[in-house]
Amino acid sequence: MLRVNARYRASGHEGTDRRPFHGSVDQIVEDLAAHAEIGLDEILIDLQGSARGAE
């Protein structure tokens, strides 16, 4: 199992220094798919570090 601390950013992250699971929804999904391809069947995505409120 892999645990990741995702960092969502509506505009995404530009450039080559983007860390895995940081950026737009599409970028995070791409990272999930890449990790699933190598055989990981469980990934826990922690969003608590970036949550700002109930909305």
Side-chain angles (χ1 to χ4, degrees):
M1 177 165 75
L2 173 67
R3 179 180 176 180
V4 299
N5 296 313
R7 298 283 180 189
Y8 169 71
R9 210 168 144 178
S11 62
H13 185 82
E14 301 295 325
T16 59
D17 62 338
R18 184 179 77 84
R19 296 181 64 184
F21 303 102
H22 288 207
S24 68
V25 169
D26 289 339
Q27 289 174 317
I28 293 171
V29 168
E30 287 176 15
D31 295 333
L32 287 169
H35 283 75
E37 284 181 15
I38 62 170
L40 289 171
D41 57 354
E42 281 188 61
I43 302 174
L44 173 67
I45 302 172
D46 188 349
L47 300 172
Q48 291 184 16
S50 61
R52 293 184 292 172
E55 293 179 11

